[in-house]
C-alpha cells in the first residue's frame, strides 16, 4: 500500500496544469501526462491485458509511473464502450474485460487522484475541438475511422452524450443498399465499408469482380489474403496500384454517402475525420466530398459542412481524456 | 394602409398572453390564437394559394381576422421548408411558392406585429415538449409521420437547429436494404415506407406478392388503386382486413428499424410519434417497439427510449409556432 505516500506528495504539489490521460485500447494502453495546452510531456505504453485484475494492475502501474515524475491533478481514462452517464462505471466494452465495473471509483481510491472515464471517441473528438482541427466549430462531428467508426458530437462547446450517455453510434447507419451483412444483424452498415477491415473486404470484392487484375496488391491478396491490412491497401493506392486506387475510390463513395447522412441528422458546420484510416484523408477526401454533396438531402439549398482531417494524431484520445478530467475536476471544485 | 391603426391598438393593449400561430401547409393554412398554456381560443382556416402574392394576401387576411378580435403580442409561422438560421427568410419550401423570401420581415411590417418563422416539424415538436407528450423529456425526438417524415429534436429544453438551421432530416435515412427507389437518389429511404404513401405502396406490393388475397382492401386496390389512401389502409387494418393488417405490420417493422437508428444517432430518452400516420400509433406501436429493441446497436447494454404517441393533434404546429413567437419576443424584450 503506497497510496498514502502518493497522496501526501499530491497534497504538497498538485499541479492544476497537468493531468494524465490513458487511452485504453483493445491492444495497447497509451498513458500520457498532458499539459493544459494539450502538449504531451511524458508517456508510458503497455500491452492491454485480458483479465480485469491484470488490466487494472497494468493501468495502476502505468499511471503510478507517470505520477512518480509529475504532479498531476486528475486522470482521465478513454474507454471504447458504454459508460454510465455519471462516468464512473464501464457497462460494456466489446474489446475489454470490464462488465458493469466501477472503474473510476476503484482506481481513484488506489491512486489517490480523481479518475474520470470518457468514451474514447468523445475523448478524441474533444481533443480536436480544444486543440486541433475542430477548434472554433459550433456543432462538430468527429469520426474515428479505424477498426470501426467511432463518433463524437460537440454541440456549442460541449460533448453531447445523449440521455443515457451512449455516444453517437454511427457505424451501423445503413449506407450501402443490400450491402455486406453485419454482426449487428443489418446489411450495408457504414463501418462494414469505411474501416480498415472494410478496405480489405472491398479490395477482395473488387478483385473477384475483375479477376484478370495483376497488380502488386492483387497478387498479395491471391497469395495470402490474411497478410493484407487496411494500411497496406492505403499504401498500395498511394503507390498507384490500380486495385488499391479502385478500393480507395469505392471507400470514398460510401464515406461520402455516410457523411451526407451525418449532415442530415446533425447539420454540423464541421466534420473531422480521424483514426487510422481517416487520417489518410488526402487519399480520398476530394472524392468523398463529391459524393457527400451529391447525396445530401436538399443539396443546393443549404450550406455545406466543412470536412477536415484530424490533427491530433494517435494521442488524440489520451489528450482529450486528460483535458476532460482536468476540466471536470476544475468545474467540481468551483461549485 | 391600416397598419397604424393596428399598431396603435397593439400599443394600447398587447397581451403577452396571446400569440397567433399559423401552420402553412401545402394544402391548407391553419391560423389560431393561442394562449400561454397552449389552448387554442380562436381559429381561421383557408386553402393555401399557389402564388407568392396570393399566399401572402391570404396569410395577411387570416391573421388580421384574428387580430381584429384578439390583442396578440406576436405571430409565429410554421413552414415546411429550409429557413435561414435567423428565421426571417424561407430559403426553399417544396410545397410552397416561396424561394429566398424574407417572409417574416415583410409580413411583420404589414401587420404591425412581430412575425417569427419556424420549421413546421420544430413547431409541432415544441408544442409536444411544452404542452404534450414530450413534457419533461431531456432529449426528445418528435416525428411527424404523414406525407413524409418531419423531425424535431429538443435538447435540454431547446430546439436543436444545427449549424445552418436545417431541422433534422430523417426521412432519407436508408432503412430498408435494397428498398424502393426515392426521388432523392437513394434506395430504401425511411419515408418511402413510413408515411401515408408508403402505406399505399406497401399494400400494393403485399397484394402483388399474394395475388389470391380477396379482402375488401385488396378488391379496392385492384379496382382503383388511386382511390386508396394511407388513411384507408389504416382503417382497413383497424377493421381486421388481413391485407390492411399485414401492411401495418410491415410498416411497424420499418418504423422500428428506423427508430433504432434514431436512438443510435441521438440517444434520446423519449421519442414522440405524431402526424396523420404517427397518431394511429396504437395500431403499430407494440410491434414497432419490438423491432426497435431488436435493431438497436448495443441493445441490452443501454436503457431504451420511451416511445409515445403525440398528444397535440392537428393544431400542434399552430400551437408550437405561437409559443415560439411569444417566447422569442419575450427573450428579445428582456435583453
Amino acid at each position: 500500500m503506497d497510496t498514502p505516500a502518493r497522496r501526501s506528495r499530491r497534497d504538497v504539489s498538485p499541479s492544476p496544469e497537468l493531468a494524465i490521460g490513458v487511452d485504453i485500447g483493445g491492444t495497447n494502453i497509451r498513458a500520457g501526462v498532458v499539459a493544459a495546452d494539450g502538449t504531451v510531456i511524458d508517456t508510458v505504453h503497455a500491452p492491454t491485458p485480458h483479465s480485469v485484475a491484470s488490466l487494472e494492475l497494468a493501468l495502476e502501474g502505468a499511471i503510478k509511473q507517470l505520477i512518480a515524475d509529475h504532479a498531476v491533478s486528475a486522470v482521465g481514462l478513454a474507454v471504447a464502450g458504454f459508460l454510465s452517464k455519471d462516468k464512473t462505471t464501464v457497462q460494456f466494452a466489446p474489446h475489454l474485460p470490464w462488465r458493469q465495473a466501477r472503474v473510476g471509483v476503484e482506481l481513484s481510491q488506489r491512486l489517490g487522484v480523481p479518475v474520470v472515464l470518457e468514451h474514447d471517441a468523445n475523448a478524441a473528438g474533444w481533443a480536436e475541438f480544444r486543440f486541433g482541427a475542430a477548434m472554433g466549430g459550433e456543432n462538430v462531428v468527429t469520426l474515428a475511422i479505424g477498426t470501426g467508426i467511432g463518433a463524437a458530437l460537440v454541440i456549442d462547446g460541449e460533448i453531447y452524450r445523449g440521455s443515457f450517455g451512449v455516444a453517437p453510434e454511427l457505424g451501423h447507419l445503413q449506407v450501402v443498399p443490400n450491402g455486406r451483412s453485419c454482426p449487428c444483424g443489418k446489411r450495408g452498415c457504414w463501418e462494414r465499408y469505411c474501416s480498415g477491415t472494410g478496405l480489405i473486404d472491398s479490395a477482395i470484392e473488387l478483385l473477384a469482380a475483375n479477376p484478370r487484375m495483376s497488380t502488386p496488391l492483387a497478387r498479395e491478396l491471391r497469395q495470402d489474403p490474411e497478410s493484407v491490412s487496411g494500411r497496406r491497401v492505403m499504401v498500395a493506392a498511394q503507390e498507384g496500384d490500380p486495385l488499391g486506387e479502385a478500393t480507395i475510390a469505392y471507400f470514398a463513395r460510401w464515406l461520402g454517402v455516410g457523411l451526407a447522412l451525418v449532415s442530415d441528422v446533425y447539420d454540423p458546420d464541421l466534420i473531422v475525420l480521424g483514426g487510422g484510416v481517416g487520417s489518410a484523408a488526402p487519399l480520398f477526401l476530394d472524392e468523398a466530398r463529391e459524393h457527400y454533396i451529391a447525396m445530401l438531402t436538399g443539396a443546393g439549398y443549404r450550406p455545406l459542412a466543412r470536412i477536415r482531417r484530424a490533427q491530433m494524431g494517435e494521442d488524440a484520445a489520451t489528450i482529450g481524456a486528460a483535458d476532460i478530467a482536468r476540466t471536470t475536476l476544475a468545474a467540481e471544485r468551483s461549485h
Side-chain angles (χ1 to χ4, degrees), chain A:
Chain A
M1 286 292 289
D2 55 357
T3 305
R6 303 291 173 199
R7 184 173 292 153
S8 74
R9 172 175 175 160
R10 191 174 64 85
D11 288 341
V12 173
S13 60
S15 166
E17 297 303 312
L18 298 183
I20 290 174
V22 190
D23 182 4
I24 309 170
T27 310
N28 289 300
I29 293 169
R30 302 168 65 91
V33 177
V34 183
D37 67 355
T39 313
V40 179
I41 61 173
D42 199 356
T43 57
V44 171
H45 294 179
T48 307
H50 297 300
S51 77
V52 170
S54 51
L55 171 57
E56 293 181 357
L57 264 180
L59 277 176
E60 193 181 338
I63 295 167
K64 280 187 172 167
Q65 205 175 323
L66 292 171
I67 287 180
D69 293 333
H70 308 276
V72 303
S73 60
V75 174
L77 305 183
V79 180
F82 288 126
L83 308 180
S84 63
K85 199 171 184 189
D86 66 3
K87 299 202 284 177
T88 60
T89 304
V90 178
Q91 295 177 303
F92 174 72
H95 306 296
L96 296 173
W98 286 317
R99 299 289 180 272
Q100 298 293 344
R102 296 182 69 229
V103 177
V105 178
E106 285 166 22
L107 204 58
S108 178
Q109 283 167 350
R110 287 206 231 175
L111 295 168
V113 176
V115 175
V116 174
L117 271 61
E118 187 53 80
H119 190 278
D120 66 341
N122 283 351
W126 184 249
E128 296 294 340
F129 178 73
R130 289 274 289 131
F131 310 112
M135 280 174 76
E138 183 188 353
N139 301 298
V140 185
V141 179
T142 299
L143 300 176
I145 308 179
T147 311
I149 295 179
L153 178 61
V154 175
I155 296 179
D156 285 336
E158 286 186 34
I159 295 173
Y160 177 75
R161 303 173 196 284
S163 292
F164 304 119
V166 180
E169 285 290 335
L170 305 184
H172 299 280
L173 288 175
Q174 290 176 87
V175 166
V176 182
N178 210 23
R180 295 169 196 154
S181 59
C182 183
C184 84
K186 293 183 283 194
R187 299 182 74 93
C189 290
W190 200 13
E191 67 178 29
R192 290 277 68 74
Y193 291 78
C194 292
S195 63
T197 51
L199 280 174
I200 303 166
D201 290 345
S202 296
I204 291 171
E205 283 180 15
L206 289 168
L207 181 58
N210 302 277
R212 291 175 163 190
M213 269 198 166
S214 179
T215 77
L217 180 60
R219 286 191 292 274
E220 288 164 43
L221 277 171
R222 277 202 199 89
Q223 276 165 22
D224 182 8
E226 297 293 316
S227 73
V228 175
S229 65
R231 186 170 300 273
R232 172 66 190 116
V233 175
M234 293 191 283
V235 170
Q238 270 161 334
E239 291 170 346
D241 182 297
L243 176 57
E245 287 177 337
T247 304
I248 292 295
Y250 192 67
F251 171 92
R253 174 179 172 191
W254 299 119
L255 180 64
V257 174
L259 292 178
L261 288 174
V262 167
S263 276
D264 281 355
V265 297
Y266 300 122
D267 186 23
D269 46 295
L270 185 55
I271 300 172
V272 174
L273 304 180
V277 181
S279 60
L283 264 180
F284 50 74
L285 189 51
D286 287 345
E287 198 157 349
R289 204 180 266 119
E290 285 175 25
H291 291 284
Y292 161 74
I293 294 168
M295 297 307 279
L296 195 62
T297 303
Y301 298 104
R302 56 192 282 189
L304 299 169
R306 286 172 302 158
I307 306 172
R308 281 191 189 167
R309 178 163 56 143
Q311 293 174 354
M312 301 304 290
E314 292 189 316
D315 284 326
T318 301
I319 294 167
D323 195 69
I324 289 165
R326 177 174 29 233
T327 52
T328 302
L329 191 72
E332 282 172 5
R333 282 192 176 150
S334 72
H335 272 87

